[in-house]
Amino acid sequence: MSGSYRKINYDLRPAKSIERKMLCEALRKLIIFCDLAKYRYVGFGATFFTDFLLIHKSLGLNDLISIEKEKEDKRRFEFNCPYRCVQLRFGEANDILPIISWTKKIILWLDYDDPLKDSMLTDIGTFISRAQTGSIILITIDVKPDKSTDQNSEKNRYVQLTERISKTKIPIGVEEKDLDNENYPRVCYNIVNNEIDEVLSKRNGGLTNKLAYKQLFNFYYQDSSPMLSVGGILYAENDDAQIKKCHFEKLDFIKCERDKYDPYKIIVPNLTFREMRSLDKVMPYDKISKIKKKQRPVFLTEKLVEEYSKIYRYVPNFVEAEIH
């Protein structure tokens, strides 16, 4: 949303690519709840529209809206728009989300590449206050701590945080020491979840059939900056039995536990193409099986093999090609 598409080729970020494919695999389970073709996908396509290509091709959604902030590049977005079923809306998400129709179930991916700020919480609030039962939200944010500007770096980080997020949104007890590399993602995670709970509580105040929120996603990965993706499904409480039939938890990357910050870390081991093809022959990997252990290349550590076994079904293959 901040013009990062001018610097980053989103097709070539392996962890991000894996996240997209994991998301699609989870979304396929919604078929128990509703025909996927009845959903609308809303995201930030930028010039690559990578998620839109995947959502349309793999899930069959034909109702897609891409929100583009950089109006000066309107012609470039229009040129790169891959399908006529992708509608382009130009403006800030804060302005576009309130005016789109919310009568359909929506899959909303707020795929920011900036640190968390109040305007993002507003977007989350728009979804929670308007989305239909069965709708999905995913919020992705940069969780790299702010840079220090002088020796009193911890205090400066807190000040910088309050410049982006209202103090009332920062959880009680958060101090400067909580804004380092290890703890800052947890602080952001809690702020996002608090916003979801607060807006949902207000919405439920006027409803007979209450809505509930079930967390499904809590990804952490790092292609360049560390990124956190948090999200889940909004549903009416009388749809609880149907939601349970989706069995999201059978996917090992699904994280339903909200009370503690325990992300699924997408780690992409640094393997050559030949090494990956060799390991594919022993996948699914069973570390108990001595036969399979003998089949894998001996120079690859157990840790590398285990890491690859978690993502091999989603890992992208990048090749050099000339397309004329």
Side-chain angles (χ1 to χ4, degrees):
M1 286 293 287
S2 59
S4 59
Y5 57 88
R6 299 190 184 102
K7 303 175 183 176
I8 301 170
N9 185 336
Y10 287 100
D11 287 338
L12 301 179
R13 298 198 299 170
K16 186 72 174 180
S17 178
I18 291 168
E19 179 190 39
R20 289 191 201 99
K21 293 175 182 175
M22 288 179 168
L23 173 64
C24 280
E25 184 162 14
L27 293 177
R28 287 190 190 98
K29 290 188 171 293
L30 286 171
I31 193 69
I32 302 294
F33 186 77
C34 176
D35 180 2
L36 283 174
K38 294 182 179 179
Y39 275 84
R40 165 180 288 161
Y41 177 73
V42 181
F44 308 146
T47 52
F48 292 93
F49 293 94
T50 311
D51 49 332
F52 285 76
L53 291 165
L54 189 62
I55 292 286
H56 178 62
K57 286 184 175 180
S58 67
L59 301 182
L61 269 66
N62 292 325
D63 186 351
L64 306 100
I65 296 177
S66 181
I67 300 173
E68 305 300 343
K69 174 184 174 183
E70 310 294 336
K71 297 180 181 178
E72 66 273 20
D73 278 340
K74 181 178 180 181
R75 292 179 63 185
R76 190 175 178 193
F77 292 123
E78 291 173 341
F79 177 80
N80 286 290
C81 185
Y83 304 113
R84 66 180 178 86
C85 60
V86 179
Q87 305 173 53
L88 299 180
R89 302 290 178 86
F90 293 94
E92 299 278 357
N94 274 189
D95 297 325
I96 302 299
L97 288 175
I99 60 175
I100 66 172
S101 172
W102 292 84
T103 55
K104 297 181 71 171
K105 300 181 191 303
I106 284 182
I107 299 167
L108 173 64
W109 190 353
L110 299 170
D111 191 10
Y112 308 108
D113 45 35
D114 295 323
L116 188 62
K117 50 190 175 184
D118 277 335
S119 62
M120 299 174 183
L121 299 179
T122 300
D123 292 338
I124 294 169
T126 300
F127 173 89
I128 297 297
S129 62
R130 304 187 184 206
Q132 299 290 317
T133 179
S135 294
I136 296 278
I137 185 172
L138 182 64
I139 307 105
T140 299
I141 51 174
D142 186 331
V143 288
K144 182 180 180 180
D146 290 304
K147 293 181 179 178
S148 58
T149 54
D150 60 21
Q151 293 182 345
N152 196 8
S153 60
E154 291 183 342
K155 182 178 180 180
N156 283 340
R157 281 175 173 158
Y158 187 84
V159 170
Q160 290 175 74
L161 179 64
T162 59
E163 289 173 349
R164 297 194 307 273
I165 299 175
S166 305
K167 285 187 176 181
T168 55
K169 301 291 185 181
I170 299 174
I172 296 173
V174 169
E175 302 175 3
E176 289 87 353
K177 65 180 176 59
D178 298 315
L179 304 178
D180 57 9
N181 284 307
E182 180 180 358
N183 295 299
Y184 179 59
R186 174 178 53 79
V187 172
C188 293
Y189 172 83
N190 289 333
I191 292 173
V192 168
N193 274 310
N194 288 346
E195 186 67 15
I196 291 171
D197 291 341
E198 180 180 338
V199 178
L200 183 56
S201 177
K202 291 179 181 176
R203 184 174 180 182
N204 275 334
L207 297 176
T208 302
N209 184 19
K210 306 295 184 185
L211 293 169
Y213 170 78
K214 179 183 179 67
Q215 179 174 289
L216 300 176
F217 310 108
N218 183 6
F219 293 120
Y220 177 90
Y221 57 92
Q222 187 167 3
D223 286 314
S224 52
S225 287
M227 305 299 289
L228 176 69
S229 291
V230 183
I233 185 168
L234 186 73
Y235 64 98
E237 289 182 347
N238 60 6
D239 287 329
D240 184 61
Q242 285 294 98
I243 295 298
K244 287 179 179 176
K245 289 180 180 178
C246 293
H247 294 298
F248 292 106
E249 66 283 357
K250 287 190 174 181
L251 299 171
D252 61 2
F253 55 81
I254 293 295
K255 288 285 187 177
C256 297
E257 176 63 50
R258 294 183 74 200
D259 293 341
K260 63 178 180 179
Y261 174 66
D262 180 27
Y264 182 90
K265 295 183 179 179
I266 300 175
I267 299 173
V268 185
N270 193 13
L271 298 169
T272 68
F273 183 77
R274 293 188 68 181
E275 289 166 347
M276 287 191 287
R277 296 294 77 79
S278 175
L279 289 177
D280 284 343
K281 296 176 182 178
V282 296
M283 296 293 153
Y285 181 65
D286 179 0
K287 62 183 179 181
I288 299 176
S289 170
K290 294 181 180 179
I291 296 177
K292 290 180 179 177
K293 286 182 72 173
K294 287 179 181 178
Q295 290 175 335
R296 68 176 171 82
V298 295
F299 48 84
L300 297 179
T301 66
E302 188 81 16
K303 181 181 178 184
L304 276 175
V305 176
E306 287 194 30
E307 288 177 349
Y308 183 68
S309 71
K310 295 178 181 177
I311 52 93
Y312 78 97
R313 293 195 300 118
Y314 314 100
V315 70
N317 294 317
F318 300 132
V319 297
E320 184 177 271
E322 290 189 11
I323 302 175
H324 299 283

